[in-house]
Amino acid sequence: MLIRTALRVLAVLVVAMMGSATADAAPTPPGTAPGPVCAWQFMTDSSVRNVAFPDVNATYWVMPYVLGAGDSLTLTGQYPEARYFSLNTYGTNLDTVDTLRDDQIRPDPGSSNPYVAGGPSSPGRSWQATVVNREADHSRNEIRGLPPAGGQRVPVGFIIIRIYVPDDPGSPNGSVALPTVTMHLGGATIPLSPCAVPDGSRNDSRPGAGILNRVFEGAAADAVPPGTPEATFVNPTTTAGLFPNGDTKYLTAGLTYRPGRVAVIRGKAPSFPNTRAGVAPGEPGAALRYWSMCQNDKVAPFPVVACAADYRTGLDADGYYTYVIAAPSDLAATADPAVTVIPWGDTAVPNKVVILRNMLPSPAFYPYSVQASQDADTDPAATMGAYYPRAIYCEVSVLENLGWQGCYHHK
């Protein structure tokens, strides 16, 4: 009875919040369980589901759960071959409860953690973590599953696995299977294998999707604070309610399309561990673990249009990036290797949000990071120095005749 009740609650939650699985879900090969009672029921990336401003260089797997007093979930998996991965838990307001990231997860005996720089090396990559309904001890691979008592009315939460920049672009889960999950509910043990095909559909006509869209719409209203001038990067009022990542902070800028006009963004590029070139993700000396510039539709459910990741961004001789956000009808490409074009996307959606991500700054880089600006509640234009992204609108004719330099001279 307990097992049936828990699964019934999960099923109701899934239908209400995410919409039911459909036959056209995009196939993904992380697991083996064919039925509806499986782990990691939902996935999202830039091509499937695509909600709440995701990064195109990441894939997210989502699992809802119910935790009573003393209940827990045990996750058993392997470290992926990727730049970054983390476990993140959320309450019913879709805001962060806890984060346990790659370099914090202790390996099983006989295994090693590839995200810890200078650590002992072993052939195994195994780990185990526990989602608990109380304060978590990260040193024991615990992650808190629900807000403190009184934080919400029902004992429902979500856990998300994030994997950024897998070494193999064709393996979004980093060349390993997603973790198996064992639910410990009221003394019962319920093992769950990863779903063979997580639901990657998004159908806005379904009631569940409509509910989710309305939640995102309200949360994203402050993605760019009211009254902010266009083409100006600022700290968002909040990212709560949008499944934020505790390891990443963002600057946002609003843009509006006009034919014959593009947006130009320029700033100094932080260093990063280029894992696609064989560098270890925990390599010391990198300013950030990851950064990117993404273009997003400012309309629910707030999909990403395109991103330029750190390793796919052209730089000039001084280490500066220059992005041009343009519709193909205005500018499809550029001959300047130091300029990176990011597509505008559908011009029928005139309002966009551009997002700069900063993930896990090093202590040396921290004062110039988005994290430092938000922690101190300061203007990022004043604290980030050359790393602050300066944006400007520019007529295509000026850009083509005078280059990006002409755009700033004609401001």
Side-chain angles (χ1 to χ4, degrees), residues 384-397:
M384 292 179 67
Y387 298 97
Y388 176 74
R390 302 187 184 276
I392 187 173
Y393 284 127
C394 183
E395 298 300 318
V396 174
S397 58

Side-chain angles (χ1 to χ4, degrees), residues 301-319:
F302 305 98
V304 63
V305 174
C307 295
D310 43 27
Y311 70 100
R312 287 182 172 169
T313 295
L315 304 180
D316 66 16
D318 297 317

Side-chain angles (χ1 to χ4, degrees), residues 79 105-116 119-126:
Y79 299 102
I105 301 175
R106 292 189 175 186
D108 290 343
S111 292
S112 59
N113 185 335
Y115 295 90
V116 176
S121 179
S122 299
R125 303 177 67 91
S126 299

Side-chain angles (χ1 to χ4, degrees), residues 41 53 63 85 293:
Q41 298 93 330
F53 305 123
M63 186 180 73
F85 100 99
M293 189 74 71

Side-chain angles (χ1 to χ4, degrees), residues 155-348:
V156 169
F158 300 85
I159 184 166
I160 293 182
I161 294 178
R162 284 177 166 83
I163 296 180
Y164 273 70
V165 194
D167 293 356
D168 177 1
S171 178
N173 22 303
S175 302
V176 299
L178 294 180
T180 59
V181 179
T182 302
M183 306 174 72
H184 306 279
L185 306 180
T189 299
I190 310 168
L192 301 177
S193 295
C195 298
V197 182
D199 176 22
S201 63
R202 191 187 80 210
N203 185 334
D204 293 345
S205 67
R206 291 177 298 168
I211 292 171
L212 188 63
N213 288 351
R214 286 194 292 276
V215 171
F216 286 143
E217 196 166 71
D222 293 329
V224 179
T228 302
E230 286 200 359
T232 302
F233 279 89
V234 295
N235 288 314
T237 303
T238 180
T239 56
L242 290 170
F243 288 125
N245 182 357
D247 288 332
T248 304
K249 298 299 181 183
Y250 318 85
L251 295 184
T252 62
L255 299 177
T256 301
Y257 178 71
R258 194 181 77 189
R261 185 178 73 174
V262 299
V264 180
I265 305 171
R266 184 165 167 83
K268 189 171 179 60
S271 61
F272 62 94
N274 190 352
T275 47
R276 286 281 175 87
V279 177
E283 185 76 13
L288 294 169
R289 176 78 74 86
Y290 175 82
W291 62 268
S292 66
M293 189 74 71
C294 292
Q295 162 81 323
N296 309 265
D297 286 342
K298 193 181 179 184
V299 59
F302 305 98
V304 63
V305 174
C307 295
D310 43 27
Y311 70 100
R312 287 182 172 169
T313 295
L315 304 180
D316 66 16
D318 297 317
Y320 282 73
Y321 59 76
T322 303
Y323 294 113
V324 175
I325 300 178
S329 56
D330 295 319
L331 183 72
T334 175
D336 187 345
V339 174
T340 303
V341 177
I342 299 177
W344 180 272
D346 187 357
T347 57

Side-chain angles (χ1 to χ4, degrees), residues 22 26 77 92 117 221 238 260 275 290 351 356 367-368 393:
T22 62
T92 54
T238 180
T275 47
Y290 175 82
N351 299 116
L356 172 69
Y368 306 100
Y393 284 127

